[in-house]
Amino acid sequence: MLEVEKINNDFAALFEQGRALLCEGHGETVNGKREEAFSHFKALGGVPYKTEDYLYTNLLPVFSRDYKAVFKYIPQEVDLKEVFRCAVPNLETNLLLTVNGWYFDGNAKAEVPDGVVVCSFKEAAQQYPDLFAKHYAQYSSMAAKDGLVALNTAFAQDGVFVYVPDGVVVEKPLQIVNLLRAKADLLAFQRNLVVLGNGAQATLLVCDHTLSQDNFLMNNATEVYLGENARLDYYQVQNQHLGASQINSVFVSEHRDSVFDANVVTLYGGMIRNNLYVALNEEGGTSNLYGLYLLDKNQQVDNYSYIDHIAPHCTSNEHFKGVLDDASLANFSGCIRVEPDAQKTEAYQANNNLLLTDTARVNTKPQLIIDADDVKCSHGATVGQIDEEAMFYLRSRGISAAEARMMMMFGFAHDIIRRVKLEPLREKIDDMIERRLRGEFSKCHNCILQCKK
């Protein structure tokens, strides 16, 4: 308990010392939320410890490290050809970099239709105050009991802002590459806001990567608004070293006949927590949440979701799969809530896990809370090892034990990846997964750094 108190006291001191820099150049919409958010963080008890939503997640070892926090943008020189390769063959994207939570000042102007805005979070607060104020911190309230979200609202200074007006389709995907690089252990915050008007469509690809061997703790929050008949395809590939820990929260507010399609792939990293919140506010909304995690060593990945069916005639599909090796740990907690007025709801949830060792562990908690009587809902979870009968079948056809094992693991994982609509991206992720399962790379894929972690 003393450790929790020390962590919370350190954050209080950090907030007090950095208040002037935190508020510099952001305006009342952002700064007006800071004090309120930090007070809420303290009222919730600070960093979650043995709370219901973090019951199987011990955050203390990660949060107790001596991180440096930087509250002023430091210009960076980033040469993608030399230090980072997140290229997907035959897939052209609008590339946007963030470095330690800050929008990279060397980003090229995005090739987007007229009226579309792609800029830094900080710039949006200044240049588009009415639009920004209408949406900022409106949807993260879905996680009112999570102190880490309040902490992000209190400390975040920059990130990415995307606005797509009514009826506009952005054909070229937006690719956000979140880079972490420092000369000391670093604490970073990032805030993103994505707004799609009525009938708007876009694709967002997020890649997380590290460029130095230091320990990192990133607290990242993304709010998404989908207007009537809007559609967002959201992909995230997490591929960092073992010293990089991440709290990643995504909040989606859907309206009539909108579609949110998400696929989160965790290939490598330290302690990773993914929070996915979706509110289906009006009739006809669809939410598809898919996820895959491949863990080894002492990696820990938590996937937490909350899908709130508020309006009738909405559909949600959720399927997460994991392959765990060595002494890795996965936690899954998914809740589907069907409100009293949400009749004709269809909601499906599944979590499947494949354990490769006796020391790998999984905690899984699928949940349904149904307050309507005319619905179709199901949920389930499985935890098991490789099917011996299937292995025998493959071996009897002359396939080696190692190859048969790899084929079964890949088939298990591909069931999630096949849902990626962008074919070049799907092929790239398939290749990364196959190489990961074969043990051809045990650190961040396609990185020239020779990290020891």
Side-chain angles (χ1 to χ4, degrees):
M1 198 62 182
L2 291 176
E3 188 175 5
V4 179
E5 292 178 3
K6 181 182 183 306
I7 293 170
N8 293 335
N9 289 336
D10 287 346
F11 273 120
L14 185 65
F15 186 74
E16 184 65 30
Q17 295 165 6
R19 181 181 275 107
L21 287 175
L22 286 170
C23 294
E24 189 175 288
H26 285 88
E28 182 56 32
T29 299
V30 176
N31 293 334
K33 300 287 185 181
R34 293 195 191 279
E35 297 288 344
E36 177 186 342
F38 195 74
S39 295
H40 188 52
F41 168 75
K42 292 189 293 184
L44 290 170
V47 173
Y49 180 66
K50 293 186 177 180
T51 60
E52 179 66 25
D53 293 341
Y54 286 84
L55 190 60
Y56 301 109
T57 307
N58 185 6
L59 298 172
L60 301 188
V62 171
F63 274 82
S64 61
R65 289 174 179 154
D66 185 17
Y67 297 102
K68 180 180 180 182
V70 180
F71 297 144
K72 190 170 184 178
Y73 178 68
I74 300 175
Q76 303 274 348
E77 293 184 5
V78 179
D79 187 343
L80 294 182
K81 294 181 181 178
E82 294 298 326
V83 298
F84 180 76
R85 304 181 183 95
C86 193
V88 180
N90 303 317
L91 178 64
E92 293 187 4
T93 65
N94 284 298
L95 183 61
L96 308 168
L97 302 184
T98 69
V99 184
N100 300 336
W102 294 86
Y103 191 84
F104 179 51
D105 59 6
N107 283 328
K109 184 177 180 180
E111 298 176 13
V112 292
D114 291 342
V116 176
V117 177
V118 179
C119 65
S120 75
F121 174 87
K122 186 174 182 179
E123 180 183 348
Q126 298 170 335
Q127 299 297 321
Y128 310 96
D130 293 338
L131 174 63
F132 186 90
K134 182 179 178 180
H135 296 283
Y136 174 64
Q138 299 301 308
Y139 317 118
S140 58
S141 59
M142 287 186 252
K145 296 187 297 181
D146 192 334
L148 298 183
V149 176
L151 196 66
N152 175 278
T153 303
F155 280 95
Q157 295 173 274
D158 207 4
V160 178
F161 175 82
V162 176
Y163 169 66
V164 183
D166 292 353
V168 175
V169 177
V170 181
E171 299 286 355
K172 194 173 184 179
L174 301 170
Q175 182 180 12
I176 300 174
V177 179
N178 298 319
L179 301 176
L180 293 172
R181 180 173 67 181
K183 296 181 180 179
D185 293 353
L186 183 71
L187 171 67
F189 298 88
Q190 183 171 327
R191 189 72 171 228
N192 308 308
L193 180 57
V194 179
V195 179
L196 271 61
N198 297 338
Q201 296 183 33
T203 298
L204 187 61
L205 168 60
V206 180
C207 301
D208 299 316
H209 196 72
T210 42
L211 294 181
S212 66
Q213 299 186 42
D214 306 276
N215 292 311
F216 295 96
L217 176 56
M218 165 62 80
N219 187 333
N220 191 332
T222 300
E223 292 183 284
V224 177
Y225 172 88
L226 299 181
E228 181 177 332
N229 204 36
R231 181 185 186 106
L232 178 66
D233 290 342
Y234 177 90
Y235 305 105
Q236 184 157 9
V237 181
Q238 298 170 324
N239 195 26
Q240 301 173 324
H241 63 57
L242 285 176
S245 297
Q246 178 181 159
I247 311 296
N248 180 57
S249 302
V250 179
F251 308 92
V252 185
S253 178
E254 290 197 53
H255 295 78
R256 186 178 300 273
D257 297 324
S258 62
V259 178
F260 178 67
D261 220 337
N263 204 312
V264 179
V265 179
T266 304
L267 292 175
Y268 219 76
M271 194 287 293
I272 296 176
R273 168 79 174 207
N274 294 312
N275 298 313
L276 295 170
Y277 292 83
V278 179
L280 295 159
N281 297 294
E282 296 178 352
E283 292 189 29
T286 300
S287 172
N288 299 311
L289 306 182
Y290 301 107
L292 175 69
Y293 40 97
L294 307 178
L295 312 182
D296 63 6
K297 299 183 174 62
N298 292 307
Q299 284 181 268
Q300 177 178 331
V301 172
D302 292 10
N303 287 296
Y304 175 92
S305 68
Y306 189 92
I307 303 174
D308 194 2
H309 284 260
I310 300 170
H313 298 282
C314 291
T315 302
S316 67
N317 297 287
E318 182 177 12
H319 195 182
F320 278 71
K321 282 191 168 187
V323 179
L324 289 79
D325 204 349
D326 299 328
S328 56
L329 169 65
N331 299 316
F332 173 84
S333 179
C335 182
I336 296 173
R337 173 70 187 271
V338 182
E339 305 283 358
D341 293 334
Q343 304 293 349
K344 303 295 183 181
T345 286
E346 294 190 21
Y348 308 97
Q349 181 189 84
N351 175 229
N352 307 114
N353 298 276
L354 189 60
L355 304 183
L356 304 182
T357 65
D358 293 334
T359 51
R361 294 175 295 145
V362 172
N363 297 302
T364 181
K365 184 182 177 184
Q367 305 167 73
L368 290 175
I369 302 175
I370 301 174
D371 291 324
D373 53 16
D374 188 4
V375 302
K376 294 181 180 179
C377 299
S378 68
H379 69 311
T382 61
V383 179
Q385 297 179 325
I386 289 179
D387 190 328
E388 293 299 329
E389 290 186 6
M391 278 286 290
F392 178 79
Y393 175 84
L394 293 174
R395 292 296 309 279
S396 67
R397 265 89 185 145
I399 300 173
S400 69
E403 188 66 17
R405 173 185 166 101
M406 203 292 300
M407 289 174 62
M408 293 187 64
M409 289 190 296
F410 182 79
F412 178 85
H414 183 71
D415 184 45
I416 297 296
I417 304 308
R418 67 183 177 85
R419 301 178 187 277
V420 175
K421 297 180 181 66
L422 297 173
E423 184 177 355
L425 177 61
R426 184 172 64 247
E427 292 176 351
K428 177 71 171 183
I429 295 176
D430 268 343
D431 175 66
M432 295 171 72
I433 289 173
E434 182 173 358
R435 294 186 62 189
R436 177 81 161 83
L437 293 174
R438 289 184 183 277
E440 293 181 11
F441 67 96
S442 60
K443 303 178 179 67
C444 309
H445 180 50
N446 262 359
C447 178
I448 66 170
L449 297 177
Q450 299 300 313
C451 298
K452 297 178 181 178
K453 297 173 181 176

